[in-house]
Amino acid sequence: MIRAVIVINDQGKPRLVKFYDYQPVEKQQEIIRNIYSVLCSRAENVSNFVQDSTFGPDTRLAYKTFATLYFIVIFDDSENELAILDLMQVFVETLDKCFSNVCELDIVFNFNKVHTILDEIILGGQVVEMSSSEVVKAVDEISWLEKNPNSTARVPKSISGWQGR
Amino acid sequence: MNPFSSETRLRDMIRAIRACKTAAEERAVVRKECASIRAAVSDNDNDYRHRNLAKLMFIHMLGYPTHFGQMECLKLIAAPGFPEKRIGYLGLMLLLDERQEVLMLVTNSLKQDLNHTNQYIVGLALCALGNISSAEMARDLAPEVERLLQFRDPNVRKKAALCSIRIIKKVPDLAENFVNPVASLLKEKHHGVLLTAIQLCADLCTVSEEALEYFRKKCTEGLVKVLKDAVNSPYAPEYDISGISDPFLQIRLLRILRILGHGDADASDLMNDILAQVATKTESNKNAGNAILYECVETIMSIEDSGGLRVLAINILGRFLSNRDNNIRYVALNMLMKAISVDGQAVQRHRATILECVKDSDASIRKRALELVYLLVNETNVKPLTKELIDYLEVSDQDFKGDLTAKICSIVEKLSPEKIWYIDQMLKVLCEAGNYVKDEVWHGLIVVITNASNLHGYTVRSLYRAIQTSGDQEAVVRVAVWCIGEYGDLLVNNIGMLELEEPITVTENDTVDVIEVAIKHHTSDLTTRAMCLTALLKLSSRFPSCSQRIKDIVNQSKGSLLLELQQRSIEFDSIIEKHQNLRSALVERMPVLDEATYSGRRAGSLPAAVSTSQGNPLQIPNGVHKTAAPLLDLLDLSADDPAPQSSSSPNFLQDLLGGDILSSVSQSGTTQPQKSGADVLLDLLSTGSSLAQNGSSTADILLISQDNKNKTSVNALDSLSSPMANSAQSLPASSIMDLLDGFGPSPTVPNDNGPAYPPLVAFESSSLSLVFNFSKQPGSPHITQIEANFTNKSSDIYTDFIFQAAVPKFLQLHLEPASSNTLPGSGNGSITQKLRVTNNQHGKKSLVMRIRISYKLNNKDMLEEGQISNFPRDL
């Protein structure tokens, strides 16, 4: 199970914080600070995994850096470490598609859209969808619905998906 | 426009926060913003509710309290519009947790939304439920979720599947309701649905044994086929990750197969072929492919396997180890660690590659690899592996040396085939990383050295060379100093040469040089310096020609501010200067240290029997002490010897050793055996033991363990006071008193004598003085032994000397015969007489005594009388 997905910038400022195990806000901040202090002192050219006991002895942490941001996933031993790296890649690619060339500011100002994207990829600590095109489709639908709250779905794409299988 | 009203847009608030230059500024902005949101909350402002909640989520992310927004989430969720609901659910997941009672209020809204006609609203509700459902909510809403598993839209089905995971985790009883729906979901083609169905299936198997059996029987074949299709499927761009078709689905399939195959030979049999296919066919040049291979290896390791696949799997890990990607090497090492218990032989084949990983540039990989190597070492490969590790120790990072050293030492200690190899390897480690070894390690080395009597010469010569090259490594210095002190003569005379050795020429002066350098080296600490002093004392006896030089070196520490060093140097100086005759016996070579005892101590379980078995054969009645061999009593440290006081002869030195021990054992100090004349010596000894009691470094220096009450033979390394005491017993008292000549008035002496009773001048006239010395039998505090000591300071001889005493009724007095009835003049001799006083009101009243002394001076009767009421209290 994935325990948390966190995005912080290289100054240690949180940009996205999503815990799948409830943590009080002080504890969340403490975890973020600890992770930041580990990551910012980490040498380059080392593995992307950190033994991390934030959530008990079996949890691990994988991180990737993209420009000024650290993407961090905390997970337990029922997850495949290498697959988590792919998952992060999918998440970032999806962000890139949704914001066309995503940068830190996109994430700062659209953090609730980023949450929507994340919710389409991970639900309750489990992966829902690994196809970034599927995620983008769903997120587009949701955005359209937000702007046109009174109509139902724009295109009955889901129906076509249903018929197509 | 006021930037801090509810009219501010979210974007503006974020800008305002980002513009803050200090944390205090940020707090101020957030405080104002929260105040305006609170105001809006109490006004029940509908228009900006979702905007305010969005702001709160941002504020929450920064770590500020936002509990006042919780009810707002509920209101938004209950609102009809999609944008409100979306923010409401988002807020619900971020700001609330399942423990809050507010959450109960949302159950009804969730139920409605799960039945909503808009599938996106259903999706929102499922997502929220899947993230934060409590057990009650799970019970209430399980039927809805179960129904949604068959919803027409796959996006809803997959979310419903994951939501079910949360439900069965919260309420495992509900698991059976989901078994059949999942079985049908597993036949789906939609990747997302399949992926989530497999995860739900895996979780059902972990919460319910029946579900596991069901899926094992009904679904194993189907899942194997799905995996086969996934592996062989044509290129599907949607699910492609770096050229591999849906690696995540393959990984999940491998995982569920692992669960189904674990512990079941039939199910394992079904999946052998496809596992072999995955293991051989998957491309390994991309992370995604390696992720599949990695999962496949783990599955092969867990299922019941005929063996062929396992070799394949471990070979995959071996390939991983030489991969250029750090992550791959990292996971491979983790997996090999698990694999070692499954198939140790197969892992051994990759030893060389694993050893290379110990030298990796990535610290976390090094650490893993080192642990793995440690697990791989056995009797057959210990020599080459240790050599590799020690070679690497020379070039390794400073911060890795600690770990590496600890592991090497542990390997060498555990698996060393012979002593000479052990000593050689340890010396190498000490030379390379002596500052990183723990104290037990070099203590252990010394124990091994003393036991290898045929290697003493070889070892001391090796150490002599080592200290020349690695004098900056504290542990090398200590071991070398200790061995040179013990075996310095072997060094100089090239005694005990092994064939492989080259002879070296070392003069006595060279040897002393080495110690002198060590004691003066600025990095040497108290322990090292104290060891140097002891070594010097020993060398002064081994090399009489250097005696004067050694004395000079020892003298330099006389002014040390460290009490231990000062004391040692003063004591040793007097030994060197005044006691040549006893010195050689005093500094004899240490007896062999008992390895079993030592290792027992290290393990923390010292058998109690050891101390008695060491002590008993050597116990000697007190009267024979004078003739005891000097070192005989070294081991007689078993503290349960109360040192009987019955001996009538005034043997000053009797019980010296007992006194030492009692002072260290009986903290109460009520049972301090004491004899006139011996008390000074007792001080000498109790100094050592009291220091040990204080836990000062004395204990560390020569004690291998700190446990100074369990005296065993290991304590032969123990404080010098023991050998001094023993040899002292073979000598007249007067010369021993001289030991303290160099001491001068030291404030430590009376302090150390604390628990004992000071002698009392009971009577003093111009010509006659009477001194009482007190002692107590252990276990009977109310009985006081008094030794009365009469001295005649006049030039005349007193004859017919009679001493009488009287006590009140609460006391009982027993007088023993005096040693003589003639008291020589000019202080040339004395009369001693023992008294035993029993105090029936011990603790309440002190002793009092009337005395009368009658004697003849030139045939004239003389009489002295007096009362003594200044006895020490508590007698």
Side-chain angles (χ1 to χ4, degrees):
Chain A
M1 180 183 162
I2 294 165
R3 304 298 183 95
V5 176
I6 298 168
V7 179
I8 52 178
N9 73 358
D10 51 10
Q11 311 292 310
K13 283 271 177 207
R15 292 305 178 212
L16 173 77
V17 179
K18 179 81 176 180
F19 282 83
Y20 295 97
D21 270 354
Y22 176 78
Q23 299 291 332
V25 67
E26 304 78 34
K27 178 77 178 159
Q28 293 187 1
Q29 294 299 314
E30 189 192 320
I31 291 169
I32 292 168
R33 274 197 302 277
N34 290 345
I35 291 173
Y36 176 68
S37 66
V38 170
L39 293 190
C40 68
S41 58
R42 223 171 135 81
E44 281 178 40
N45 191 28
V46 296
S47 73
N48 293 61
F49 306 114
V50 178
Q51 206 67 30
D52 175 277
S53 48
T54 314
F55 295 105
D58 291 330
T59 57
R60 271 161 286 176
L61 179 155
Y63 72 97
K64 267 192 163 188
T65 43
F66 294 94
T68 55
L69 295 176
Y70 291 106
F71 282 71
I72 297 141
V73 179
I74 305 172
F75 54 97
D76 64 18
D77 61 356
S78 69
E79 298 290 333
N80 180 319
E81 292 104 320
L82 299 175
I84 293 285
L85 293 180
D86 279 339
L87 175 70
M88 280 194 268
Q89 189 66 37
V90 168
F91 181 42
V92 175
E93 275 173 21
T94 313
L95 289 176
D96 210 41
K97 285 178 190 163
C98 289
F99 294 108
S100 55
N101 240 337
V102 68
C103 68
E104 186 180 344
L105 284 184
D106 289 325
I107 295 176
V108 174
F109 286 108
N110 300 292
F111 73 93
N112 52 25
K113 186 172 182 184
V114 175
H115 270 290
T116 307
I117 296 168
L118 185 61
D119 285 344
E120 290 296 321
I121 298 176
I122 301 170
L123 194 162
Q126 306 285 352
V127 176
V128 192
E129 185 56 74
M130 280 292 274
S131 156
S132 72
S133 54
E134 287 279 318
V135 176
V136 171
K137 250 187 269 173
V139 172
D140 282 350
E141 293 283 345
I142 289 170
S143 308
W144 190 84
L145 266 175
E146 288 229 284
K147 285 173 197 136
N148 307 283
N150 296 321
S151 48
T152 46
R154 173 174 53 161
V155 194
K157 205 171 282 174
S158 52
I159 303 290
S160 69
W162 162 261
Q163 285 164 342
R165 79 190 169 88
Chain B
M1 193 173 71
N2 177 1
F4 303 116
S5 72
S6 10
E7 284 91 55
T8 334
R9 294 190 306 154
L10 170 64
R11 188 166 275 270
D12 296 327
M13 182 199 79
I14 296 176
R15 271 205 196 100
I17 290 176
R18 276 172 53 81
C20 296
K21 294 203 169 51
T22 64
E25 253 179 79
E26 182 186 293
R27 277 197 295 274
V29 170
V30 169
R31 204 180 306 124
K32 280 184 190 165
E33 196 64 56
C34 285
S36 84
I37 293 171
R38 275 171 192 269
V41 167
S42 55
D43 291 350
N44 209 2
D45 177 356
N46 275 324
D47 300 340
Y48 295 108
R49 186 171 280 141
H50 73 288
R51 177 186 285 180
N52 283 339
L53 190 56
K55 286 181 188 171
L56 273 185
M57 285 189 264
F58 191 85
I59 290 169
H60 178 265
M61 179 171 73
L62 297 177
Y64 296 93
T66 51
H67 50 274
F68 52 89
Q70 289 173 350
M71 283 308 289
E72 299 296 284
C73 299
L74 270 57
K75 287 179 187 161
L76 282 171
I77 290 168
F82 182 81
E84 288 81 11
K85 275 191 192 293
R86 197 180 72 82
I87 294 289
Y89 278 120
L90 211 49
L92 184 74
M93 289 186 280
L94 290 178
L95 308 186
L96 274 79
D97 78 286
E98 58 175 283
R99 279 165 292 183
Q100 270 147 345
E101 288 184 5
V102 184
L103 202 57
M104 286 304 294
L105 304 172
V106 88
T107 311
N108 214 27
S109 304
L110 272 171
K111 191 162 190 161
Q112 281 174 12
D113 286 346
L114 288 174
N115 291 310
H116 206 281
T117 50
N118 185 333
Q119 62 188 35
Y120 291 98
I121 291 180
V122 176
L124 288 179
L126 280 173
C127 185
L129 190 61
N131 277 334
I132 58 153
S133 170
S134 65
E136 287 95 338
M137 288 166 82
R139 265 182 224 286
D140 290 346
L141 299 173
E144 264 70 28
V145 176
E146 212 184 304
R147 188 177 51 74
L148 288 171
L149 287 174
Q150 274 115 39
F151 196 77
R152 61 186 155 76
D153 183 64
N155 285 320
V156 171
R157 288 204 298 279
K158 67 188 184 191
K159 285 185 182 170
L162 293 188
C163 195
S164 311
I165 294 180
R166 176 95 185 184
I167 290 173
I168 59 163
K169 274 187 183 163
K170 289 289 160 194
V171 190
D173 302 348
L174 292 171
E176 55 180 311
N177 299 352
F178 288 92
V179 171
N180 282 319
V182 168
S184 57
L185 282 183
L186 288 176
K187 299 183 183 111
E188 291 239 14
K189 291 275 187 300
H190 187 281
H191 282 217
V193 176
L194 202 46
L195 187 70
T196 52
I198 291 168
Q199 289 182 52
L200 174 55
C201 181
D203 279 289
L204 281 171
C205 290
T206 50
V207 296
S208 156
E209 194 64 33
E210 290 152 33
L212 174 60
E213 279 309 310
Y214 178 86
F215 288 123
R216 193 175 269 160
K217 289 218 167 59
K218 304 272 177 182
C219 298
T220 308
E221 254 185 302
L223 287 166
V224 167
K225 184 163 183 310
V226 174
L227 180 57
K228 222 170 243 167
D229 290 347
V231 173
N232 298 316
S233 71
Y235 184 64
E238 262 198 344
Y239 285 95
D240 168 81
I241 291 176
S242 49
I244 304 222
S245 139
D246 206 347
F248 215 77
L249 180 62
Q250 293 194 37
I251 287 167
R252 288 296 178 204
L253 282 163
L254 287 165
R255 176 174 299 263
I256 188 73
L257 289 182
R258 166 154 86 246
I259 295 170
L260 298 177
H262 182 72
D264 188 290
D266 292 341
S268 302
D269 222 35
L270 284 175
M271 55 191 78
N272 271 347
D273 285 353
I274 184 64
L275 292 177
Q277 197 188 343
V278 172
T280 47
K281 274 188 140 183
T282 308
E283 298 261 351
S284 63
N285 50 0
K286 289 279 165 48
N287 182 60
N290 284 324
I292 296 175
L293 284 172
Y294 176 55
E295 196 72 34
C296 186
V297 168
E298 191 165 4
T299 299
I300 290 171
M301 290 295 174
S302 315
I303 65 168
E304 305 303 307
D305 176 64
S306 47
L309 276 179
R310 286 204 176 133
V311 175
L312 191 62
I314 288 173
N315 286 344
I316 290 175
L317 295 178
R319 277 211 311 277
F320 275 14
L321 287 181
S322 23
N323 197 300
R324 274 177 42 241
D325 186 344
N326 292 339
N327 296 327
I328 309 280
R329 294 200 300 275
Y330 180 90
V331 296
L333 289 168
N334 274 346
M335 188 64 79
L336 282 168
M337 206 93 89
K338 290 188 203 165
I340 216 166
S341 58
V342 180
D343 192 347
Q345 273 318 103
V347 181
Q348 285 285 0
R349 280 201 291 277
H350 299 282
R351 208 170 52 220
T353 335
I354 296 167
L355 206 53
E356 281 309 301
C357 290
V358 175
K359 306 168 188 174
D360 204 281
S361 59
D362 182 342
S364 56
I365 291 178
R366 283 201 299 262
K367 203 159 167 252
R368 289 253 152 344
L370 181 61
E371 273 162 29
L372 192 54
V373 167
Y374 184 68
L375 294 177
L376 286 177
V377 179
N378 57 27
E379 285 82 2
T380 51
N381 59 26
V382 59
K383 282 192 174 182
L385 274 178
T386 308
K387 181 177 183 310
E388 285 275 351
L389 291 177
I390 290 178
D391 287 349
Y392 178 59
L393 188 60
E394 290 171 28
V395 293
S396 68
D397 270 6
Q398 290 301 320
D399 46 359
F400 190 50
K401 279 193 173 152
D403 280 348
L404 191 54
T405 310
K407 283 280 190 282
I408 296 174
C409 292
S410 174
I411 290 171
V412 172
E413 282 175 6
K414 203 169 64 176
L415 291 166
S416 134
E418 63 232 354
K419 283 195 166 132
I420 184 164
W421 186 82
Y422 175 100
I423 292 170
D424 280 347
Q425 305 311 311
M426 279 301 184
L427 286 192
K428 283 188 203 160
V429 173
L430 292 187
C431 289
E432 282 309 323
N435 293 333
Y436 295 90
V437 299
K438 297 212 166 60
D439 281 353
E440 307 89 270
V441 171
W442 64 265
H443 290 168
L445 176 59
I446 288 182
V447 173
V448 171
I449 291 173
T450 64
N451 278 284
S453 52
N454 54 331
L455 298 173
H456 285 167
Y458 169 75
T459 309
V460 71
R461 283 186 291 274
S462 306
L463 278 163
Y464 179 78
R465 288 192 197 99
I467 198 173
Q468 309 278 348
T469 54
S470 311
D472 52 339
Q473 305 285 349
E474 194 95 51
V476 177
V477 175
R478 288 182 187 171
V479 177
V481 163
W482 194 90
C483 288
I484 289 173
E486 292 299 316
Y487 314 120
D489 43 340
L490 307 182
L491 171 64
V492 172
N493 302 322
N494 273 331
I495 292 171
M497 287 290 284
L498 301 185
E499 281 175 22
L500 53 102
E501 267 188 277
E502 301 214 351
I504 52 171
T505 320
V506 185
T507 64
E508 297 184 347
N509 265 318
D510 292 342
T511 313
V512 178
D513 280 345
V514 168
I515 310 269
E516 190 179 7
V517 168
I519 199 170
K520 287 180 177 164
H521 200 276
H522 63 281
T523 58
S524 297
D525 66 1
L526 169 65
T527 307
T528 310
R529 289 185 187 178
M531 289 179 82
C532 287
L533 281 176
T534 310
L536 284 170
L537 176 67
K538 296 212 167 194
L539 287 184
S540 75
S541 159
R542 313 253 196 284
F543 307 151
S545 63
C546 292
S547 195
Q548 186 53 41
R549 186 176 162 213
I550 287 171
K551 184 173 175 300
D552 293 343
I553 302 172
V554 168
N555 273 339
Q556 288 164 8
S557 295
K558 269 188 179 173
S560 172
L561 292 178
L562 298 164
L563 176 63
E564 176 63 33
L565 289 187
Q566 188 187 41
Q567 185 182 344
R568 275 181 196 238
S569 86
I570 288 168
E571 287 170 6
F572 294 174
D573 178 52
S574 2
I575 293 170
I576 294 170
E577 189 169 9
K578 301 189 181 128
H579 304 285
Q580 265 88 6
N581 51 345
L582 80 98
R583 185 175 60 190
S584 62
L586 195 59
V587 299
E588 275 199 5
R589 201 165 282 169
M590 281 289 175
V592 170
L593 304 169
D594 183 29
E595 277 175 290
T597 315
Y598 175 67
S599 51
R601 262 162 188 265
R602 280 185 77 178
S605 57
L606 178 66
V610 172
S611 70
T612 48
S613 68
Q614 295 287 342
N616 281 340
L618 294 164
Q619 272 183 3
I620 290 158
N622 274 310
V624 196
H625 260 160
K626 278 183 164 181
T627 55
L631 276 170
L632 205 52
D633 265 354
L634 226 166
L635 299 178
D636 184 13
L637 289 161
S638 49
D640 45 358
D641 177 4
Q645 304 290 300
S646 55
S647 161
S648 57
S649 69
N651 179 1
F652 294 135
L653 296 166
Q654 145 184 20
D655 296 331
L656 272 182
L657 203 49
D660 179 26
I661 284 153
L662 282 171
S663 65
S664 72
V665 171
S666 63
Q667 309 251 335
S668 65
T670 51
T671 55
Q672 191 77 346
Q674 201 170 351
K675 302 273 170 182
S676 73
D679 54 352
V680 193
L681 262 171
L682 279 172
D683 289 346
L684 185 71
L685 299 173
S686 60
T687 311
S689 57
S690 73
L691 275 168
Q693 274 175 356
N694 294 340
S696 86
S697 57
T698 336
D700 270 327
I701 292 160
L702 294 159
L703 259 183
I704 275 177
S705 153
Q706 310 236 335
D707 182 4
N708 62 343
K709 287 194 179 163
N710 270 332
K711 310 253 181 184
T712 62
S713 66
V714 180
N715 286 12
L717 273 180
D718 196 9
S719 61
L720 274 171
S721 59
S722 311
M724 280 169 62
N726 284 294
S727 41
Q729 284 164 20
S730 56
L731 291 155
S734 57
S735 66
I736 290 164
M737 305 279 272
D738 287 347
L739 274 177
L740 295 172
D741 281 355
F743 216 97
S746 162
T748 62
V749 174
N751 290 347
D752 292 330
N753 204 14
Y757 298 105
L760 173 72
V761 180
F763 177 84
E764 179 108 58
S765 70
S766 55
S767 57
L768 182 65
S769 88
L770 163 58
V771 177
F772 279 178
N773 286 299
F774 306 99
S775 62
K776 292 238 184 210
Q777 289 272 14
S780 46
H782 56 289
I783 298 174
T784 310
Q785 304 275 0
I786 302 175
E787 190 180 68
N789 211 324
F790 302 88
T791 324
N792 176 2
K793 287 177 282 184
S794 71
S795 54
D796 308 297
I797 297 173
Y798 296 160
T799 54
D800 296 331
F801 191 92
I802 294 170
F803 168 70
Q804 291 170 302
V807 292
K809 280 201 177 121
F810 69 89
L811 297 173
Q812 284 172 337
L813 177 66
H814 177 83
L815 268 173
E816 286 187 22
S819 58
S820 162
N821 63 355
T822 309
L823 188 58
S826 314
N828 275 336
S830 63
I831 295 177
T832 54
Q833 185 163 17
K834 286 194 172 173
L835 298 81
R836 192 170 70 235
V837 183
T838 310
N839 185 348
N840 293 328
Q841 298 202 16
H842 174 72
K844 295 179 196 138
K845 292 191 179 174
S846 304
L847 300 189
V848 281
M849 192 182 285
R850 277 175 170 270
I851 55 165
R852 171 190 284 185
I853 302 166
S854 60
Y855 53 92
K856 285 189 171 159
L857 172 61
N858 300 330
N859 274 337
K860 199 172 89 190
D861 281 329
M862 304 291 286
L863 188 66
E864 307 273 9
E865 285 184 309
Q867 175 161 340
I868 309 167
S869 47
N870 56 341
F871 280 100
R873 296 172 64 85
D874 305 320
L875 278 179

